[in-house]
Amino acid sequence: MVTWLADASAGAAAPTAGQLTDTLLMLVSASMVMLIVPGVALFYGGMSGRAGAAQAFRAALSGTAVVVVLAVAGGYGLIAGPALIPHVLGMPDWGLASLLGGLGPHGLADADPYPLARAGYLVALCAVAVAILGAAVASRVTLRAWVVFVGVWSLLVLFPACYAVFALSDGWAVAGMNVVDFGGALPVSLAAGSGAAGVILACGRRGHPPTGIHSLPLVATGGSLIWFGWFGLTVGSEGAVDAFSSLIWINTLIASAGGALTWIIVDRVMLRRPTITSALCGAVSGLVAIAPASGVVTTGWSLLLGALAALACATMVDLAARARFGVPMAICVIHIVASLVGLFYIGLFSSGGGLIESGNFDLFVSQAVAGITVAAGSFFLSLLVAVALRYTIGLTRVRYPSDDAEPDEIPARRGEPVPAESDRAGDPAGGRAGP
């Protein structure tokens, strides 16, 4: 990590070439991370067709707008500011005043640009977390309830989880328990996936729309945006151009490729019909798993991590499909399971401190406790907030007609033509009630 971040407020000397290079890295990484927001909406929403993609896109964009406004209105201080509640939460920073207050006597000309660039990167990560949660619940909740929920959830769950990871000198996870989480798996994927599960539980099971035909162009476009943008998420997590940057990039590529290939093999063995969506789901599971571990494992271990994450996610998605929650629960499964696999994997195989290499259980215990704490906390707080909204302003949309038939049987019962097998080529679950 960069060593000059703590002295950013001095503003006495013009930034060096190294500082400008690191700033450029953060700006490019943040821009790439923002591509994940529409990518998540198109990828997960497209699994329910064009209507699902439109709902997910609306939820992602509105949620991003809410979390960005909250961050500028004081929320960024809750993420990375001086401690308000030690180890738990930072002090509100209204209008990013602490960052803009460090400008030199000649304004931006002699100011250190890095802190503001890092703030943009962290806010972009928050937008991704909200987009993941929104894509999972977009088909269920009303826009009014969603906007209110995002505001409350960000303050109660997202910002404190970010502080635990990104407040490097005080956060309870990184500073207190020595947790390793390079790409923010705890606040981004794990908190979002667990929170979405809580909202889905509050909405109830039987109101979900029946699984429809995937919109393959939307799924492919969204998956590609996630795959590309995730390199910005992992490389930007290092915060500087140094010896680890190349390792992080190549580990991200290898883990995603291992995940894609493993999910394809699983579908080939179980269903004898691997699909494009299967490969993309595997790639995403590998990306989610490598995010916390990208800088502490070697290339061979990253390949194994991607494969294990895809295998675990494919198995759990199949089990979730049997509960007939459909695509929303599959989104939760991918992000919860892959995040936990990545966090636990660090405790076992990370270079230097992992259990296999050092024989020390401390890191593994820290990773496990942090992962379970964030997952459980996000789930229960999200459930409480969703239930409160349900009995106040209302939470769910109009209820969809329930049908216990398989997806291909639903149109047949209504006298509609059953889609051809080729139309279902994007369904990695082979007609099951999941992606």
Side-chain angles (χ1 to χ4, degrees):
M1 297 292 181
V2 291
T3 57
W4 46 272
L5 178 59
D7 302 324
S9 60
T16 65
Q19 292 172 345
L20 292 178
T21 301
D22 294 338
T23 299
L24 179 61
L25 171 72
M26 298 306 297
L27 293 175
V28 173
S29 297
S31 301
M32 294 175 65
V33 169
M34 287 304 299
L35 287 176
I36 302 175
V37 174
V40 164
L42 295 176
F43 181 57
Y44 292 126
M47 292 181 182
S48 298
R50 287 176 293 180
Q55 293 170 345
F57 213 100
R58 183 176 69 171
L61 293 182
S62 58
T64 297
V66 171
V67 78
V68 170
V69 170
L70 284 177
V72 175
Y76 178 72
L78 303 179
I79 297 173
L84 176 64
I85 304 176
H87 311 305
V88 177
L89 201 63
M91 188 173 296
D93 186 4
W94 306 105
L96 304 179
S98 65
L99 303 182
L100 298 178
L103 299 181
H106 299 94
L108 290 174
D110 58 353
D112 181 359
Y114 183 85
L116 204 58
R118 182 174 185 263
Y121 172 80
L122 295 182
V123 173
L125 292 186
C126 293
V128 171
V130 170
I132 293 170
L133 198 157
V137 305
S139 63
R140 297 305 318 279
V141 302
T142 63
L143 181 61
R144 176 179 60 182
W146 167 243
V147 170
V148 175
F149 177 86
V150 169
V152 177
W153 184 80
S154 298
L155 295 175
L156 294 181
V157 177
L158 180 59
F159 292 163
C162 286
Y163 185 84
V165 175
F166 299 121
L168 303 179
S169 61
D170 187 63
W172 64 264
V174 173
M177 300 177 61
N178 297 318
V179 170
V180 177
D181 185 4
F182 269 77
L186 289 173
V188 176
S189 293
L190 190 56
S194 302
V199 176
I200 292 172
L201 182 61
C203 292
R205 183 176 70 89
R206 294 188 61 81
H208 291 277
T211 302
I213 302 173
H214 290 26
S215 175
L216 189 54
L218 295 180
V219 170
T221 302
S224 301
L225 288 175
I226 295 174
W227 205 336
F228 177 76
W230 212 269
F231 286 93
L233 186 149
T234 54
V235 175
S237 65
E238 174 63 10
V241 179
D242 56 23
F244 288 94
S245 301
S246 299
L247 176 65
I248 292 173
W249 193 96
I250 198 67
N251 279 344
T252 304
L253 177 64
I254 292 173
S256 60
L261 184 60
T262 299
W263 202 308
I264 289 174
I265 293 173
V266 170
D267 272 7
R268 180 68 180 88
V269 172
M270 297 180 62
L271 304 175
R272 302 194 181 281
R273 188 167 55 84
T275 65
I276 294 174
T277 311
S278 298
L280 289 173
C281 284
V284 170
S285 62
L287 292 171
V288 172
I290 196 61
S294 55
V296 292
V297 295
T298 58
T299 53
W301 289 118
S302 66
L303 178 62
L304 178 61
L305 173 57
L308 290 177
L311 180 61
C313 289
T315 303
M316 295 304 297
V317 163
D318 184 68
L319 293 177
R322 300 178 189 278
R324 304 198 64 79
F325 275 106
V327 172
M329 187 56 72
I331 299 173
C332 302
V333 166
I334 289 175
H335 286 275
I336 294 173
V337 173
S339 296
L340 290 177
V341 169
L343 290 168
F344 293 174
Y345 194 87
I346 294 171
L348 293 174
F349 301 111
S350 67
S351 301
L355 176 62
I356 301 300
E357 184 173 335
S358 67
N360 193 330
F361 280 91
D362 291 348
L363 181 58
F364 180 80
V365 172
S366 296
Q367 299 290 119
V369 170
I372 295 173
T373 299
V374 171
S378 179
F379 174 81
F380 286 111
L381 286 174
S382 301
L383 176 62
L384 290 176
V385 173
V387 170
L389 292 177
R390 182 173 183 175
Y391 290 102
T392 52
I393 66 174
L395 178 66
T396 61
R397 297 178 179 274
V398 294
R399 298 179 67 84
Y400 293 89
S402 178
D403 199 316
D404 294 329
E406 291 298 319
D408 284 348
E409 296 175 354
I410 294 172
R413 290 186 179 183
R414 297 174 180 169
E416 301 172 5
V418 176
E421 185 71 17
S422 59
D423 293 334
R424 297 172 51 79
D427 189 354
R432 298 168 296 180

